[in-house]
Amino acid sequence: MKIVFVSLDTLRASRLGCYGYSKPTSPYLDRIASEGVLFEKAYAADIPTEVAHTGIFSGKVGLRTGIVSHGSTLTKLPKSREWLPTMLRGAGFTTAAVDNLYQLKEWFARGFRYYMNSVDDRRRWIDGRTVNDMALPWLTQHKDESFFLFLHYWDAHTPYLPPEEYKSMFYEKGRDPYDPENRSMDAAYNHLAYPFFKHHHYDLVGPVTDSVYYDAMYDAEIRYLDDRLRELDEHLERLGIRDETLLILFGDHGESLTEHDIYWDHCGLYEPTVHVPVIMRWPGVIPSGRRVSGLVQQVDLLPTVLAAVRDASPDGIDVSSLDEPDGLDGRSLWPAIRGEAERTHDAVFLSECAWQAARGIRDDRYKYIRTYDSGPFVRPPAELYDLEEDPGETRNLVDERPDVAAAMQERLDRWVYGILQGKPDPMQEQLSAAGLPFRRRIEAILEHSGLTWDDWRSDPRRERFDRLASKEH
């Protein structure tokens, strides 16, 4: 049995053709979806990358593991914590990863016999071609083994720097991304988060004035990623192992493209960031063309993989060691895959603690968000959206529907209490001990320019910061 487990970092579900997008970003992903199962309402319960992947590999939400913050220096994951690669390796699988998360936290390398770091300074960012250059030879060498291969593609992540030939596919010919009369970038350039994104994004892309260009480059990166996935799948076919491979594709989180004052980044518990693609294919086992309409979440992937291995009982694998760990928040997706159910959860609980600190709950109709620290954003303390009537989450109904807001807040409180059972809240511990990790990063950048957070907040103009930053050099 072969398992290829693919994280598509920063991939927003609504920018894929198989999720209803009209532009040709994902022809090969769409084909894979047509050959297997697509989950229409899959959610990242914890965002962004570090906390999302911890939940995926543990089957438990951040509130239970204690890992709720991305980039925090305070968090540690005990080695006793059940971990999917460790479990599979112990059962007899050859385990491998092409990934760089080990550079964030040591636990992301646990359980892998082979760990290939995808960071390559000679190429653009973490290029999907670099991932394939490592993964494809490894597949050739280990094609006769039962293996679990984790691949982490970063192409849809900022900075959006697609190869030249992909840009014209999505940016209108004759349009000028540097038009001095275009003011659509002003809100992004004069945002409180600008000092961070200047170095990590804007300076790398160039003096763009047209916000449409950024959206187009995000689409172009997805199309580039789609071609790398085609290369991967064609290699499985050449090796003769495509039909015996369980292929699982998922977004760790999505991306906001100016919605809710978030400019090409992944924070906020709004649909662009928390609604992610999840697609699975296993020829002869998973029915083709299946679409699951109900709520599922990323922590469901661990029990789904374990159940697949137990049912397949591959030679040389000790399936008796792969019982579900206690206390999982995830539930197997197999009843939904087989058409026996349309969901794994009646509601999904959401959490973030990086740029902002907030928790939320999303059920079939409503989403409720409670913000504890808005960081560099302006947020009301509570937000309620009717996703049936307002899928763009533009009208906050907290004052119009106080009964619904109160009921969802009570449900959120019960969920938190039920997990913590009197133990300290890791989000509140993070905020009281160290604050928001990404606000701290901005503060460090500002300090080099002679600014405090309050100074910058009082007058967050791009020209002002650029002038002070240029004096450093």
Side-chain angles (χ1 to χ4, degrees):
M1 180 180 181
K2 292 87 167 67
I3 304 170
V4 178
F5 198 67
V6 182
S7 177
L8 308 171
D9 207 289
T10 320
L11 186 57
R12 169 174 166 166
S14 63
R15 301 298 269 210
L16 301 179
C18 51
Y19 281 88
Y21 194 45
S22 60
K23 296 182 181 179
T25 54
S26 56
Y28 204 83
L29 262 171
D30 300 345
R31 174 181 166 180
I32 293 173
S34 72
E35 296 169 340
V37 59
L38 177 147
F39 296 88
E40 295 177 348
K41 294 179 182 176
Y43 281 82
D46 295 281
I47 61 166
T49 302
E50 184 180 315
V51 289
H53 284 91
T54 301
I56 288 163
F57 284 122
S58 68
K60 299 179 180 181
V61 297
L63 187 61
R64 197 176 302 278
T65 64
I67 309 302
V68 298
S69 294
H70 178 96
S72 172
T73 59
L74 304 179
T75 54
K76 294 181 180 179
L77 189 73
K79 291 186 177 180
S80 58
R81 177 72 65 187
E82 293 89 351
W83 196 246
L84 180 59
T86 303
M87 297 177 71
L88 293 174
R89 184 176 180 181
F93 279 88
T94 302
T95 54
V98 181
D99 178 40
N100 70 310
L101 288 177
Y102 175 73
Q103 296 184 199
L104 293 178
K105 291 292 187 296
E106 58 80 21
W107 60 76
F108 289 113
R110 291 179 188 174
F112 291 112
R113 181 179 176 188
Y114 303 92
Y115 190 93
M116 294 163 274
N117 193 329
S118 56
V119 172
D120 187 344
D121 293 336
R122 298 169 297 173
R123 300 197 179 184
R124 64 177 198 102
W125 198 232
I126 299 174
D127 195 311
R129 191 169 298 284
T130 301
V131 174
N132 282 359
D133 285 348
M134 294 178 173
L136 271 54
W138 189 92
L139 284 164
T140 300
Q141 295 165 10
H142 298 274
K143 65 182 178 65
D144 296 324
E145 304 170 23
S146 288
F147 63 72
F148 174 83
L149 174 63
F150 171 56
L151 304 178
H152 191 173
Y153 293 89
W154 288 80
D155 300 283
H157 195 287
T158 54
Y160 309 146
L161 297 169
E164 199 64 36
E165 62 270 26
Y166 289 84
K167 295 180 180 180
S168 60
M169 298 173 67
F170 299 96
Y171 192 64
E172 181 183 344
K173 185 177 180 180
R175 187 166 180 144
D176 181 7
Y178 312 109
D179 178 4
E181 300 301 315
N182 193 325
R183 311 301 300 178
S184 60
M185 287 294 296
D186 284 1
Y189 285 152
N190 297 300
H191 194 276
L192 280 170
Y194 171 74
F196 179 86
F197 288 107
K198 169 182 169 59
H199 298 292
H200 291 274
H201 195 180
Y202 300 138
D203 284 355
L204 297 171
V205 179
V208 174
T209 59
D210 184 8
S211 65
V212 171
Y213 180 80
Y214 272 93
D215 290 356
M217 293 307 97
Y218 179 69
D219 286 347
E221 287 281 23
I222 297 173
R223 181 56 183 263
Y224 178 79
L225 167 64
D226 192 73
D227 283 347
R228 306 291 74 76
L229 296 173
R230 174 180 51 80
E231 290 174 355
L232 170 67
D233 204 39
E234 288 174 350
H235 192 66
L236 295 175
E237 182 70 35
R238 282 193 300 273
L239 295 177
I241 61 173
R242 177 184 179 276
D243 287 353
E244 59 183 295
T245 298
L246 170 57
L247 177 64
I248 301 177
L249 305 162
F250 59 88
D252 66 334
H253 51 73
E255 186 82 320
S256 289
L257 309 173
T258 75
E259 299 94 345
H260 294 95
D261 198 30
I262 303 165
Y263 300 98
W264 308 289
D265 190 38
H266 30 273
C267 60
L269 300 179
Y270 307 107
E271 291 295 284
T273 293
V274 297
H275 179 212
V276 295
V278 173
I279 297 167
M280 298 171 58
R281 186 192 69 197
W282 195 2
V285 180
I286 293 177
S288 62
R290 170 83 173 127
R291 296 178 73 94
V292 176
S293 62
L295 292 168
V296 305
Q297 59 184 25
Q298 291 170 335
V299 290
D300 297 334
L301 293 173
L302 180 145
T304 302
V305 170
L306 296 183
V309 178
R310 291 196 303 269
D311 290 346
S313 297
D315 292 340
I317 301 299
D318 178 15
V319 296
S320 66
S321 67
L322 295 178
D323 290 337
E324 285 190 8
D326 293 334
L328 288 186
D329 295 296
R331 301 169 188 168
S332 174
L333 295 166
W334 284 103
I337 292 170
R338 292 190 293 260
E340 300 162 5
E342 281 298 321
R343 67 182 67 241
T344 54
H345 302 272
D346 294 326
V348 174
F349 296 92
L350 308 166
S351 174
E352 65 174 325
C353 189
W355 281 111
Q356 306 168 96
R359 288 196 174 109
I361 176 175
R362 193 253 199 253
D363 63 18
D364 283 334
R365 180 167 182 176
Y366 292 104
K367 180 187 289 177
Y368 176 80
I369 300 170
R370 186 74 182 184
T371 297
Y372 307 103
D373 189 332
S374 60
F377 299 91
V378 176
R379 303 282 185 237
E383 297 167 78
L384 176 69
Y385 300 103
D386 183 338
L387 296 177
E388 288 185 2
E389 300 293 330
D390 178 25
E393 298 163 297
T394 62
R395 183 180 176 187
N396 184 1
L397 300 176
V398 162
D399 293 333
E400 294 180 44
R401 296 299 309 273
D403 54 332
V404 176
M408 296 195 83
Q409 177 68 61
E410 182 182 1
R411 190 173 182 185
L412 181 61
D413 290 342
R414 287 201 310 269
W415 176 75
V416 172
Y417 177 80
I419 291 178
L420 292 179
Q421 293 290 322
K423 297 190 293 291
D425 183 337
M427 182 182 291
Q428 299 304 325
E429 287 187 313
Q430 172 68 37
L431 293 177
S432 62
L436 289 167
F438 278 83
R439 174 173 160 174
R440 293 290 176 255
R441 292 193 189 186
I442 295 178
E443 289 175 336
I445 295 169
L446 292 171
E447 185 178 356
H448 285 293
S449 301
L451 288 170
T452 66
W453 174 260
D454 288 338
D455 290 336
W456 172 240
R457 193 178 188 110
S458 69
D459 185 14
R461 287 180 297 113
R462 178 194 191 191
E463 292 82 2
R464 179 180 179 228
F465 177 80
D466 286 355
R467 183 177 64 253
L468 292 170
S470 67
K471 292 179 180 179
E472 300 174 41
H473 307 290

